[in-house]
Amino acid sequence: MISITLIIQCPDQKGIIAEVTQFIYRYNGNILYIDQYVDRENKAFFMRLESEFNGDLKAIEQFQQAFADSPATKYEMTWSLYHQKKKPRMALFVSKYDHCLYDLLGRFRSGELKVEIPFILSNHSDLRSIAESFGIPFYHIPFNEETKAKAEKQQLELLMSNNVSFIVLARYMQILSSNLIDKYPNNIINIHHSFLPAFPGAKPYHSAFERGVKIIGATSHYVTEDLDAGPIIEQDVVHVSHTHSISQLLAKGRDLEKIVLSRAVKNHISHKVMVYRNKTIVFS
Amino acid sequence: MISITLIIQCPDQKGIIAEVTQFIYRYNGNILYIDQYVDRENKAFFMRLESEFNGDLKAIEQFQQAFADSPATKYEMTWSLYHQKKKPRMALFVSKYDHCLYDLLGRFRSGELKVEIPFILSNHSDLRSIAESFGIPFYHIPFNEETKAKAEKQQLELLMSNNVSFIVLARYMQILSSNLIDKYPNNIINIHHSFLPAFPGAKPYHSAFERGVKIIGATSHYVTEDLDAGPIIEQDVVHVSHTHSISQLLAKGRDLEKIVLSRAVKNHISHKVMVYRNKTIVFS
Amino acid sequence: MISITLIIQCPDQKGIIAEVTQFIYRYNGNILYIDQYVDRENKAFFMRLESEFNGDLKAIEQFQQAFADSPATKYEMTWSLYHQKKKPRMALFVSKYDHCLYDLLGRFRSGELKVEIPFILSNHSDLRSIAESFGIPFYHIPFNEETKAKAEKQQLELLMSNNVSFIVLARYMQILSSNLIDKYPNNIINIHHSFLPAFPGAKPYHSAFERGVKIIGATSHYVTEDLDAGPIIEQDVVHVSHTHSISQLLAKGRDLEKIVLSRAVKNHISHKVMVYRNKTIVFS
Amino acid sequence: MISITLIIQCPDQKGIIAEVTQFIYRYNGNILYIDQYVDRENKAFFMRLESEFNGDLKAIEQFQQAFADSPATKYEMTWSLYHQKKKPRMALFVSKYDHCLYDLLGRFRSGELKVEIPFILSNHSDLRSIAESFGIPFYHIPFNEETKAKAEKQQLELLMSNNVSFIVLARYMQILSSNLIDKYPNNIINIHHSFLPAFPGAKPYHSAFERGVKIIGATSHYVTEDLDAGPIIEQDVVHVSHTHSISQLLAKGRDLEKIVLSRAVKNHISHKVMVYRNKTIVFS
């Protein structure tokens, strides 16, 4: 028995759910869970469907072909089918901060994150020992303004040769070039250390301190060319007060960042996040 | 055009979603939203489905009849169909506390709660003026141990003659008899002023204070014969500290109670709450 | 016995707490609670102190005079002394939205807000009946661009003749002139329906919807001439998702706004909020 | 310059704050922060005071002696004085779960937890490699019913010879004997994986699942002989729904547990937690 997840996006019209479910039924699939959403303003339909099929990968391939020929074409679907036999491959980009890295690796080791991690990459070597203690290859690719293009070429080669499905910027602190972003649309997850759109930029906790806010936040989003403006996947906040120094804001922020990032990663892995017009649909 | 909400519960088996959606499609319904849940341990299937039909109430009745004959029978469904033309009728039972009453009436007046309120009932007369300021009939039915049975007869007559759909105990402070509970299974909503199952009983904030907890809660649940043990619909909490006196806990609790109760009422009205084995499925 | 609250702000230096507490002790005061905070960067000292004195108002006046002569002068304090015999007088400015008004009046009636409410003022007459049902005078002062100056003169006369201590803008929706703001520095409390500094301006929920945020907020702040940029007193947030329409965001926002505004008002009444360099110290 | 923290508990009476602050002033101390609390019902006074002294450890010792002779005796204080030169020594007891251990060690390494960790102790050897990767001695002391007494003797020897200040049970899963508890009153911190007092015992998430609660919690408390009934230091909760399986509750619980435990540990280290009649005062 194989479990699949089917992700569909198409113009809204009558009968889509009926036809898709009927189609799965005909192929002896057992639907476990459907999530769907209609953006009525834009007449757009979104669906995520989990189903079980008796049989092997070949049965899945046949279903996939038939689905492409029939409902997918009829309803002009953008769609994907994932099956549990193939774990997504997650590359981690880090810098010097270790809190998000520890959190993700802890969840990976405990089996909570069902991924493979082909490598951890950094422009600094500080976190090498953490990678090693988890038995994961670590690539140190330092660069400066001049060598950035060359470094990125190395990064791309690593990503390709390791067949990476998606990238997590676990406090990477560097701006990716559009070249790399274009290769992984809606597949690069960043954690921004503020409640976006408030306090974008490099030192958000300092800005929050200046403004005297009573709440600070963290935001995980897909990376687009427009810095800090990509589709938001997950946000959370924590209360603060006048007594908190900037370093205490930073400490509270670290706790937030790791939780928010790991939630975003988990939703991404489960194919629960769909992107439409720079916003996300996140199925629960 | 008429919008309907279809609520289904039945033993889980393959093809239910496909058949139901196909059936609606055949009757020219347009499915707007499906929520479903499978309790895999108990092999139970739950679905809530919103659909639009062109046509009038008669078309709905025909659909309803056909649905009863076919999928409902085939899959042994327990099911209900609601349509938006008919607002549910909510009776409010209160005592002397006014915070939940004000909150519900404010939401009612602003159009947030799509119900009719045939009357407010109390064993005290304290809140009569509030009822009157909102133009809602107020019935004062006092009782003591001896006259309780008679009072309940009066209550039942009021409920029946006003065609009440469900009852909200907005801090009613009295225990209902099984006679009344049986008439409204899963249709009497209570707000308990604690995070159940901790601190059941009459003075939960005092118990919370004694134990020195750092969080207090409120719980909205359906009333069953087993006091404070009915299916939980909604819970929320708020942080407290050693500095809070009991009266401050009570004040914080009032804010919680009204929010938690109104959320539960809104979910009930939208038919998003299903009960199974003394637990709820609450669709979002 | 009289309870007082003493609020002090001055340049930080050694011995302030010792001297103030010793001074109170000498006047037979019993200190119930001290809160203090030192802004080390700016070398500024802040203190809030609750104390009980045996005796009558005259004893308080004597203490007050002596305090002014001695520690207040020595340490260059900006200070105030409040005593419980004199409730602050709160004017409410409203527009057409009633949720914050109901919430504040409910808390007022239950005794939770220890204030007097001399009047409710609005540029619309929609909420007159609510004011009347609570037995509070309602002044309807409509205006347009041309008559705004005259209307404000009327407002000021009402504020003065009613000896108003502070103003709450309970979704007033109008911009106050600097003339009025200057009369009540750090004594006009506004509720902004977003998590400032994100989404300032008139339609924040629409902006939040556009950006696809997963959390919306509300912010209560003191009104300054710089719109939406005054010192923040209180903020809170609530999670939202792609399924929420703008009208659902508005409904969730209403719940937030009333809670956040009433918390800010309660802290203001208890003299727990001090303002320094456009930020607040809010003692717990 | 040396920073000290002074912790005081005594019967409430007039003039304590004045006298203590005056006393510090006389010894040329500069008070940075005072927290105090009066339990009016029980007439008990609590104070935590941070102060800076010019001079060396000897000056502190002199102050300490003088304080003992004068205010401490006069007001019948239970008191302690801590200075920043001496970091508390924290022993970690673990079992097989690693999430709390990783979280604490990550905070330790980042400098957030200002402690020394002389050793990690476990009745299982599973987590040895984690201890080693952080360069901390790991003692594996397995035991069964028969050898428990002997194992505890070994534990006590380790604690004594390492001069341990306090113990953190980071999901230790074993019940300590009163012998060990008596040696470390209010110095053994446990994390219980539920919102106590609801769901005490070994399988709280299973109980929460059974009851169908909409919120789960975690509680950190000092260990007393009465299992799960010691003074609560910190609690937090997270919302759950009918869709969460027990394993998902466990995963959400792990995130909670580590945050709640680390907050409790940080408050303990800062001497912000005082215990009185089985409840805590936790200064902010």
Side-chain angles (χ1 to χ4, degrees):
Chain A
M1 197 156 66
I2 296 183
S3 292
I4 65 148
T5 304
L6 188 63
I7 307 297
I8 293 168
Q9 179 177 327
C10 63
D12 189 32
Q13 65 182 95
K14 256 192 223 180
I16 305 173
I17 299 175
E19 186 145 340
V20 170
T21 53
Q22 187 65 24
F23 194 87
I24 289 171
Y25 184 50
R26 245 187 289 138
Y27 276 76
N28 276 307
N30 184 31
I31 295 172
L32 301 176
Y33 201 75
I34 293 182
D35 271 310
Q36 87 292 341
Y37 171 66
V38 175
D39 177 338
R40 308 204 76 185
E41 203 184 339
N42 297 304
K43 295 192 175 32
F45 176 89
F46 304 86
M47 186 154 81
R48 178 185 178 279
L49 184 153
E50 291 177 21
S51 183
E52 282 171 351
F53 286 87
N54 284 316
D56 53 10
L57 279 177
K58 204 158 170 197
I60 299 298
E61 274 162 34
Q62 281 166 353
F63 169 81
Q64 203 159 355
Q65 188 53 54
F67 191 83
D69 292 344
S70 179
T73 303
K74 177 173 171 193
Y75 292 102
E76 301 173 60
M77 294 175 179
T78 306
W79 66 289
S80 322
L81 185 152
Y82 303 94
H83 59 79
Q84 108 228 88
K85 301 265 173 195
K86 214 173 133 189
K87 283 190 192 166
R89 293 170 67 78
M90 170 173 84
L92 292 171
F93 283 30
V94 298
S95 183
K96 293 180 169 190
Y97 298 109
D98 62 7
H99 54 287
C100 286
L101 182 60
Y102 264 121
D103 191 73
L104 288 169
L105 294 181
R107 291 170 200 278
F108 168 63
R109 185 135 104 178
S110 76
E112 196 181 309
L113 292 186
K114 295 188 192 336
V115 291
E116 287 168 16
I117 305 183
F119 64 85
I120 297 168
L121 181 154
S122 180
N123 54 330
H124 296 282
S125 62
D126 304 53
L127 306 185
R128 179 186 296 277
S129 69
I130 300 179
E132 283 170 356
S133 78
F134 281 84
I136 296 170
F138 180 89
Y139 296 105
H140 177 207
I141 306 185
F143 58 85
N144 53 37
E145 210 53 45
E146 273 168 48
T147 60
K148 188 166 182 182
K150 197 185 143 207
E152 224 161 51
K153 208 165 152 253
Q154 282 181 275
Q155 292 176 353
L156 267 173
E157 281 164 10
L158 271 174
L159 292 165
M160 294 304 142
S161 65
N162 281 284
N163 208 9
V164 164
S165 327
F166 71 106
I167 302 167
V168 176
L169 308 184
R171 300 300 310 277
Y172 177 54
M173 315 298 287
Q174 298 294 325
I175 296 171
L176 301 183
S177 78
S178 58
N179 194 16
L180 206 158
I181 295 172
D182 290 350
K183 287 276 190 309
Y184 287 92
N186 301 327
N187 273 305
I188 307 176
I189 300 174
N190 187 38
I191 177 72
H192 184 77
H193 43 327
S194 99
F195 177 71
L196 291 174
F199 311 126
K203 294 214 156 190
Y205 294 122
H206 292 73
S207 309
F209 181 81
E210 276 312 306
R211 180 62 185 95
V213 292
K214 301 304 184 190
I215 279 174
I216 56 169
T219 302
S220 188
H221 62 94
Y222 286 122
V223 174
T224 58
E225 300 215 17
D226 195 354
L227 192 64
D228 294 337
I232 294 170
I233 307 171
E234 174 79 22
Q235 300 190 293
D236 213 343
V237 298
V238 65
H239 287 259
V240 297
S241 80
H242 64 276
T243 62
H244 291 93
S245 63
I246 287 182
S247 74
Q248 286 172 312
L249 295 189
L250 289 166
K252 278 183 168 268
R254 284 193 295 270
D255 277 358
L256 258 186
E257 290 156 24
K258 63 192 192 187
I259 294 283
V260 168
L261 179 58
S262 75
R263 279 193 211 137
V265 169
K266 279 203 276 185
N267 280 330
H268 180 84
I269 292 170
S270 318
H271 313 295
K272 292 191 168 173
V273 190
M274 302 180 72
V275 174
Y276 182 68
R277 300 197 169 190
N278 208 43
K279 291 163 68 171
T280 58
I281 288 97
V282 183
F283 289 123
S284 56
Chain B
M1 197 155 67
I2 296 183
S3 292
I4 64 148
T5 303
L6 188 63
I7 307 297
I8 292 167
Q9 179 177 328
C10 63
D12 188 31
Q13 64 181 96
K14 254 193 226 183
I16 305 174
I17 298 176
E19 184 145 340
V20 171
T21 53
Q22 187 65 27
F23 194 87
I24 288 171
Y25 184 52
R26 243 186 291 139
Y27 276 77
N28 276 306
N30 185 31
I31 295 171
L32 301 177
Y33 202 77
I34 293 182
D35 272 310
Q36 88 292 340
Y37 171 67
V38 175
D39 177 339
R40 310 203 74 183
E41 202 183 341
N42 298 304
K43 294 190 177 33
F45 176 89
F46 305 86
M47 185 156 80
R48 179 186 177 278
L49 183 152
E50 292 177 19
S51 183
E52 283 170 350
F53 284 90
N54 284 316
D56 53 9
L57 280 176
K58 205 159 169 196
I60 299 299
E61 274 163 34
Q62 282 167 354
F63 169 81
Q64 203 160 355
Q65 188 53 53
F67 191 84
D69 290 346
S70 179
T73 304
K74 177 173 171 193
Y75 291 101
E76 301 173 59
M77 293 177 180
T78 306
W79 66 290
S80 321
L81 186 152
Y82 304 94
H83 59 79
Q84 108 230 85
K85 302 266 172 195
K86 215 172 132 190
K87 284 190 191 165
R89 295 171 64 78
M90 169 174 85
L92 292 171
F93 283 30
V94 298
S95 183
K96 294 180 168 190
Y97 297 108
D98 61 7
H99 56 286
C100 286
L101 182 60
Y102 264 121
D103 191 73
L104 288 169
L105 294 180
R107 290 170 199 278
F108 169 62
R109 185 135 103 177
S110 76
E112 198 180 309
L113 290 186
K114 296 190 193 333
V115 293
E116 287 169 15
I117 305 182
F119 64 85
I120 296 167
L121 180 155
S122 181
N123 55 331
H124 296 283
S125 62
D126 304 52
L127 305 185
R128 177 186 296 277
S129 68
I130 299 178
E132 282 169 357
S133 78
F134 281 83
I136 296 169
F138 181 89
Y139 296 104
H140 177 207
I141 306 184
F143 56 85
N144 54 35
E145 210 53 45
E146 274 171 45
T147 60
K148 187 167 182 182
K150 197 185 143 210
E152 225 163 49
K153 211 167 150 250
Q154 282 180 274
Q155 292 176 353
L156 267 173
E157 280 164 9
L158 271 174
L159 292 165
M160 295 303 142
S161 65
N162 281 284
N163 208 9
V164 163
S165 327
F166 71 105
I167 302 167
V168 175
L169 309 184
R171 300 296 314 275
Y172 177 54
M173 316 297 288
Q174 299 294 325
I175 295 170
L176 301 183
S177 77
S178 59
N179 195 15
L180 206 158
I181 295 171
D182 290 350
K183 288 275 190 311
Y184 287 92
N186 300 327
N187 273 304
I188 307 175
I189 300 173
N190 187 38
I191 177 72
H192 185 77
H193 43 324
S194 98
F195 177 72
L196 291 173
F199 311 126
K203 295 215 157 192
Y205 294 121
H206 292 73
S207 309
F209 181 82
E210 276 311 305
R211 181 62 185 94
V213 290
K214 301 304 185 189
I215 280 175
I216 56 168
T219 303
S220 186
H221 62 94
Y222 286 122
V223 174
T224 58
E225 301 215 16
D226 195 352
L227 192 63
D228 296 335
I232 293 170
I233 307 170
E234 174 77 24
Q235 301 189 293
D236 214 342
V237 298
V238 64
H239 286 260
V240 298
S241 80
H242 64 275
T243 63
H244 291 93
S245 62
I246 287 182
S247 75
Q248 286 172 311
L249 295 189
L250 289 165
K252 276 182 169 268
R254 284 193 296 269
D255 277 357
L256 258 186
E257 291 158 23
K258 62 191 193 189
I259 294 284
V260 169
L261 179 57
S262 74
R263 280 194 210 136
V265 169
K266 279 203 277 187
N267 280 330
H268 180 84
I269 293 170
S270 318
H271 313 296
K272 291 190 168 175
V273 190
M274 302 181 73
V275 174
Y276 181 68
R277 298 195 170 189
N278 207 44
K279 291 163 69 169
T280 59
I281 287 97
V282 183
F283 290 123
S284 55
Chain C
M1 198 157 64
I2 297 183
S3 292
I4 64 148
T5 303
L6 188 63
I7 307 298
I8 292 167
Q9 179 177 329
C10 63
D12 188 31
Q13 65 181 95
K14 255 192 222 179
I16 305 174
I17 299 176
E19 185 146 338
V20 170
T21 54
Q22 188 66 25
F23 194 86
I24 289 170
Y25 184 51
R26 245 186 289 139
Y27 277 76
N28 276 306
N30 185 31
I31 295 172
L32 302 176
Y33 201 76
I34 293 182
D35 272 309
Q36 88 291 340
Y37 171 66
V38 174
D39 177 338
R40 310 204 75 185
E41 203 184 339
N42 297 302
K43 295 191 177 30
F45 176 88
F46 305 86
M47 185 155 82
R48 179 186 177 278
L49 184 153
E50 292 177 19
S51 183
E52 282 170 350
F53 286 88
N54 284 316
D56 52 10
L57 279 176
K58 209 165 165 190
I60 299 298
E61 274 162 34
Q62 282 167 353
F63 170 81
Q64 203 159 356
Q65 188 53 56
F67 191 84
D69 291 345
S70 180
T73 303
K74 177 174 171 191
Y75 292 102
E76 302 173 58
M77 294 176 178
T78 305
W79 66 290
S80 322
L81 185 153
Y82 304 94
H83 59 79
Q84 109 229 84
K85 300 266 172 192
K86 215 173 130 189
K87 283 189 191 164
R89 294 171 66 78
M90 170 174 85
L92 291 171
F93 283 30
V94 298
S95 184
K96 293 180 168 188
Y97 297 109
D98 62 7
H99 55 287
C100 286
L101 182 61
Y102 264 121
D103 190 74
L104 288 169
L105 295 180
R107 290 170 199 279
F108 169 63
R109 184 135 105 179
S110 77
E112 196 181 310
L113 291 186
K114 295 189 193 335
V115 292
E116 287 169 15
I117 304 182
F119 63 86
I120 296 167
L121 182 155
S122 181
N123 55 330
H124 295 282
S125 62
D126 305 51
L127 306 185
R128 178 185 296 278
S129 68
I130 300 178
E132 283 169 355
S133 78
F134 280 84
I136 296 170
F138 181 89
Y139 297 104
H140 177 207
I141 305 184
F143 58 84
N144 54 36
E145 210 53 44
E146 274 170 47
T147 61
K148 187 166 184 184
K150 199 185 142 208
E152 225 162 49
K153 211 167 148 250
Q154 280 181 276
Q155 292 176 352
L156 268 173
E157 282 165 9
L158 271 174
L159 292 165
M160 295 303 144
S161 65
N162 280 285
N163 209 9
V164 163
S165 326
F166 71 105
I167 303 167
V168 175
L169 309 184
R171 299 299 311 275
Y172 177 54
M173 316 297 288
Q174 298 294 325
I175 295 170
L176 301 182
S177 78
S178 58
N179 194 16
L180 206 158
I181 296 171
D182 289 351
K183 288 275 190 308
Y184 287 93
N186 300 327
N187 273 304
I188 307 176
I189 301 173
N190 186 39
I191 177 73
H192 185 76
H193 43 325
S194 97
F195 177 71
L196 290 174
F199 312 126
K203 294 215 157 191
Y205 294 122
H206 291 74
S207 308
F209 181 81
E210 276 311 305
R211 180 61 185 94
V213 291
K214 301 304 186 191
I215 280 175
I216 56 169
T219 303
S220 187
H221 62 94
Y222 286 122
V223 174
T224 58
E225 300 215 18
D226 196 354
L227 192 66
D228 294 337
I232 293 170
I233 307 169
E234 174 79 22
Q235 300 189 292
D236 214 343
V237 298
V238 65
H239 286 260
V240 297
S241 79
H242 65 275
T243 62
H244 290 94
S245 63
I246 287 182
S247 74
Q248 286 171 311
L249 295 189
L250 288 165
K252 277 182 168 270
R254 283 194 296 270
D255 278 358
L256 257 186
E257 291 158 24
K258 62 192 193 187
I259 294 283
V260 169
L261 179 58
S262 74
R263 279 193 211 138
V265 170
K266 280 202 276 186
N267 280 331
H268 180 85
I269 292 170
S270 318
H271 313 295
K272 292 191 167 173
V273 190
M274 302 180 73
V275 174
Y276 182 69
R277 299 196 169 190
N278 207 43
K279 291 163 68 170
T280 59
I281 288 96
V282 183
F283 289 124
S284 55
Chain D
M1 197 156 67
I2 296 184
S3 292
I4 65 147
T5 303
L6 188 63
I7 306 297
I8 293 168
Q9 178 177 329
C10 63
D12 188 32
Q13 65 182 96
K14 255 193 225 181
I16 306 174
I17 299 175
E19 186 145 340
V20 170
T21 54
Q22 188 65 26
F23 194 87
I24 289 171
Y25 184 52
R26 245 187 289 141
Y27 276 76
N28 276 306
N30 185 32
I31 295 172
L32 301 176
Y33 202 76
I34 294 182
D35 272 309
Q36 89 291 340
Y37 171 66
V38 175
D39 178 338
R40 310 205 76 183
E41 203 184 340
N42 297 305
K43 294 192 177 31
F45 176 89
F46 305 86
M47 187 155 81
R48 178 185 179 279
L49 184 153
E50 292 177 19
S51 183
E52 282 171 350
F53 285 88
N54 284 315
D56 52 10
L57 279 177
K58 204 160 170 197
I60 299 298
E61 274 163 32
Q62 281 166 355
F63 169 82
Q64 203 159 356
Q65 187 54 53
F67 191 84
D69 291 345
S70 179
T73 304
K74 178 174 170 191
Y75 292 102
E76 302 172 60
M77 294 176 178
T78 307
W79 67 289
S80 323
L81 185 152
Y82 304 94
H83 58 80
Q84 108 229 85
K85 301 264 172 196
K86 217 173 129 190
K87 284 191 191 163
R89 295 171 64 78
M90 170 174 85
L92 292 172
F93 282 32
V94 298
S95 183
K96 294 180 169 188
Y97 297 108
D98 61 7
H99 54 289
C100 286
L101 181 61
Y102 264 121
D103 190 73
L104 289 168
L105 294 180
R107 291 169 199 279
F108 168 63
R109 186 135 104 177
S110 75
E112 197 181 311
L113 291 186
K114 295 187 193 336
V115 293
E116 287 168 14
I117 305 183
F119 63 84
I120 297 167
L121 182 155
S122 180
N123 55 329
H124 296 281
S125 62
D126 304 52
L127 306 185
R128 177 186 296 277
S129 69
I130 300 178
E132 283 169 356
S133 77
F134 281 83
I136 297 170
F138 180 89
Y139 297 105
H140 177 207
I141 306 184
F143 57 85
N144 54 35
E145 209 53 44
E146 273 170 45
T147 61
K148 187 167 182 181
K150 196 185 146 212
E152 225 161 50
K153 210 166 151 251
Q154 282 180 274
Q155 292 175 354
L156 266 173
E157 281 165 8
L158 271 173
L159 292 165
M160 294 303 143
S161 66
N162 281 283
N163 208 10
V164 164
S165 325
F166 71 106
I167 302 167
V168 175
L169 309 183
R171 302 297 314 274
Y172 177 53
M173 315 298 288
Q174 298 294 325
I175 296 171
L176 301 183
S177 78
S178 58
N179 194 16
L180 206 159
I181 295 172
D182 290 349
K183 287 274 190 309
Y184 286 93
N186 301 327
N187 273 303
I188 307 175
I189 301 173
N190 186 39
I191 178 71
H192 184 77
H193 43 326
S194 97
F195 178 72
L196 291 173
F199 311 126
K203 294 215 159 192
Y205 295 121
H206 292 73
S207 309
F209 181 82
E210 275 312 305
R211 181 60 185 94
V213 291
K214 301 303 185 190
I215 280 174
I216 57 168
T219 302
S220 186
H221 63 94
Y222 286 122
V223 174
T224 58
E225 301 215 16
D226 195 353
L227 192 64
D228 295 336
I232 293 169
I233 307 171
E234 173 78 23
Q235 300 189 293
D236 213 343
V237 299
V238 66
H239 287 260
V240 297
S241 79
H242 64 275
T243 62
H244 291 93
S245 63
I246 286 182
S247 75
Q248 286 172 311
L249 295 189
L250 289 165
K252 277 182 168 269
R254 283 194 296 268
D255 277 357
L256 257 186
E257 290 157 24
K258 61 191 192 189
I259 294 283
V260 167
L261 178 58
S262 75
R263 280 193 211 137
V265 169
K266 279 203 277 186
N267 280 330
H268 181 84
I269 292 169
S270 318
H271 313 295
K272 292 190 168 173
V273 190
M274 303 180 73
V275 174
Y276 182 68
R277 299 196 170 190
N278 207 44
K279 291 163 68 170
T280 59
I281 287 97
V282 183
F283 289 123
S284 55

